[in-house]
Amino acid sequence: GAVVSQHPSRVICKSGTSVKIECRSLDFQATTMFWYRQFPKQSLMLMATSNEGSKATYEQGVEKDKFLINHASLTLSTLTVTSAHPEDSSFYICSARVPTAGSETQYFGPGTRLLVL
Amino acid sequence: AQSVTQLGSHVSVSEGALVLLRCNYSSSVPPYLFWYVQYPNQGLQLLLKYTSAATLVKGINGFEAEFKKSETSFHLTKPSAHMSDAAEYFCAVSGGGGGNKLTFGTGTQLKVEL
């Protein structure tokens, strides 16, 4: 099956610093990747859709200047949390859509646990 | 707009018993439906998907789900629960008014007891 990786798996940073999270599709090319945020014991909330070679599409209420998304290649999307604050602490999960005709399947990375002190 | 409702945030079964996790969807057009499983501190793993082919879909680990248009349901079942099935299960819908976006249900925590 399609494999998606994320790095780092866990990161602790100081308030005010920026953190970059990488999402890679390992065995397929993904023109579209998605970034989600998950709070403890809750469902996934879509933050933005990342399209290769173009600007990301952010969901309502998500600050695009705070959560910078770059999809520079067909196998890599990055999410940078700028000027992180404790309320940004969360589990961030990316997914990639497999470009198979007639399928809308997304495959998920293992997630990144962010803790802002 | 599309939405998913998962009835029961917590389900507990005995090992060897039937597993039934409920999912109802709302979509203005024929949807794509998915079940994902999440183990603690991990991402989501695809269990199975319905994409307008056979209404009974078989997935990994012995799980299956049946798409019932008349009931707008896509319940997940497994004949015999195993301890390793204990996890969080998410139903999701895409297509229709949501385009490629996945809309997730609130999740069901499955507990398997000896």
Side-chain angles (χ1 to χ4, degrees), chain B residues 19-98:
Chain B
V19 175
L20 171 61
L21 304 183
R22 300 179 185 274
C23 173
N24 287 87
Y25 70 91
S26 173
S27 177
S28 58
V29 297
Y32 295 129
L33 292 159
F34 306 83
W35 275 100
Y36 287 90
V37 60
Q38 184 180 34
Y39 297 98
N41 296 310
Q42 295 187 28
L44 275 68
Q45 180 182 6
L46 179 67
L47 276 178
L48 49 81
K49 62 183 179 182
Y50 167 76
T51 56
S52 74
T55 56
L56 182 61
V57 181
K58 294 187 183 297
I60 62 172
N61 301 339
F63 284 94
E64 63 181 37
E66 186 173 7
F67 173 70
K68 291 187 177 180
K69 184 179 179 180
S70 60
E71 299 177 7
T72 61
S73 69
F74 190 58
H75 301 330
L76 181 70
T77 60
K78 181 174 180 177
S80 177
H82 191 272
M83 295 297 288
S84 61
D85 294 327
E88 185 87 19
Y89 291 80
F90 292 97
C91 182
V93 61
S94 77

Side-chain angles (χ1 to χ4, degrees), chain A residues 66-105:
Chain A
K66 180 168 186 61
F67 298 100
L68 300 179
I69 292 173
N70 183 279
H71 195 156
S73 78
L74 287 171
T75 59
L76 174 64
S77 175
T78 60
L79 168 67
T80 301
V81 183
T82 62
S83 186
H85 287 92
E87 57 265 31
D88 298 324
S89 298
S90 191
F91 194 50
Y92 293 87
I93 308 176
C94 73
S95 71
R97 187 170 68 90
V98 178
T100 302
S103 172
E104 299 293 332
T105 306

Side-chain angles (χ1 to χ4, degrees), chain A residues 39-86:
Chain A
F39 291 101
K41 301 190 182 300
Q42 294 189 27
S43 189
L44 280 72
M45 181 191 77
L46 179 64
M47 298 174 67
T49 302
S50 172
N51 299 297
E52 188 269 336
S54 64
K55 292 183 179 180
T57 303
Y58 290 82
E59 295 300 299
Q60 190 173 10
V62 178
E63 298 177 62
K64 62 179 181 181
D65 295 330
K66 180 168 186 61
F67 298 100
L68 300 179
I69 292 173
N70 183 279
H71 195 156
S73 78
L74 287 171
T75 59
L76 174 64
S77 175
T78 60
L79 168 67
T80 301
V81 183
T82 62
S83 186
H85 287 92

